[in-house]
Amino acid sequence: MIHDTRSVAADLLDELAPIIAGERAAFAHRCHTRSISMTHLLLMTLLDTHGPVPMSRVAELLGCGLPAATGIVSRMEERGLVERQHDSEDRRVVTLSLSDEEAAEIRQLQVSRRERMATALTHLTDPEREQLLASVRALRAAFNRVNSQGDNA
């Protein structure tokens, strides 16, 4: 039974890999046409998720030193991707947030990705969509179990 489970898991991964790679490539192309690097995209996504972040945390999230993070942020700020603000309670603390325009752009990229998925799903029958929904929910629960066990590999 374990061999069959591994075989099915391998088959699933083989089927999902080109879908994921294709979507990743399409998304990367959309970013490339806007001259957004993967580092910029990572930081923009983190800011969209976490809201304004102190520069020290930006460096930590990017896995680099404060001088390197400052350089990255300066280039992003010049392009209007992000905005720096001084903390109202401690002026020494500088926080970073997405510009309003880029926050809207990130949301539009997410809407576009969701619309592509919705279009693909229209090509399935009702029973296929229901089966896929049940399977995705089971996969999500499995990931939650793995993550709760601390195995983030």
Side-chain angles (χ1 to χ4, degrees):
M1 187 68 143
I2 291 175
H3 178 70
D4 290 339
T5 300
R6 286 187 183 154
S7 175
V8 169
D11 289 347
L12 282 167
L13 292 172
D14 289 345
E15 293 295 326
L16 286 172
I19 295 169
I20 293 168
E23 287 304 301
R24 185 180 300 139
F27 188 74
H29 178 72
R30 287 191 295 275
C31 291
H32 176 73
T33 60
R34 295 199 57 243
S35 300
I36 296 174
S37 74
M38 290 298 110
T39 300
H40 293 174
L41 179 63
L42 170 64
L43 184 52
M44 291 165 60
T45 302
L46 291 169
L47 292 172
D48 186 52
T49 302
H50 298 290
V53 176
M55 282 298 297
S56 57
R57 180 76 174 128
V58 168
E60 185 181 307
L61 290 169
L62 292 177
C64 63
L66 191 55
T70 299
I72 291 166
V73 167
S74 292
R75 288 186 292 280
M76 292 178 74
E77 189 176 35
E78 288 169 7
R79 294 187 52 216
L81 302 176
V82 295
E83 298 171 344
R84 293 185 224 209
Q85 300 90 21
H86 287 278
D87 186 88
S88 60
E89 295 177 19
D90 185 347
R91 301 277 303 154
R92 295 172 296 174
V93 176
V94 175
T95 59
L96 187 69
S97 61
L98 282 177
S99 66
D100 290 342
E101 183 179 323
E102 288 310 307
E105 180 66 25
I106 289 286
R107 284 184 204 56
Q108 183 53 46
L109 286 170
Q110 292 166 343
V111 166
S112 175
R113 180 183 281 176
R114 189 175 176 98
E115 287 172 352
R116 280 178 53 84
M117 180 66 76
T119 299
L121 292 173
T122 64
H123 294 276
L124 299 175
T125 65
D126 285 342
E128 287 171 332
R129 276 191 294 274
E130 290 171 17
Q131 183 179 9
L132 179 58
L133 178 59
S135 297
V136 170
R137 285 178 174 160
L139 180 61
R140 183 174 167 194
F143 267 103
N144 287 341
R145 288 190 299 276
V146 167
N147 292 335
S148 70
Q149 295 168 358
D151 184 7
N152 297 320

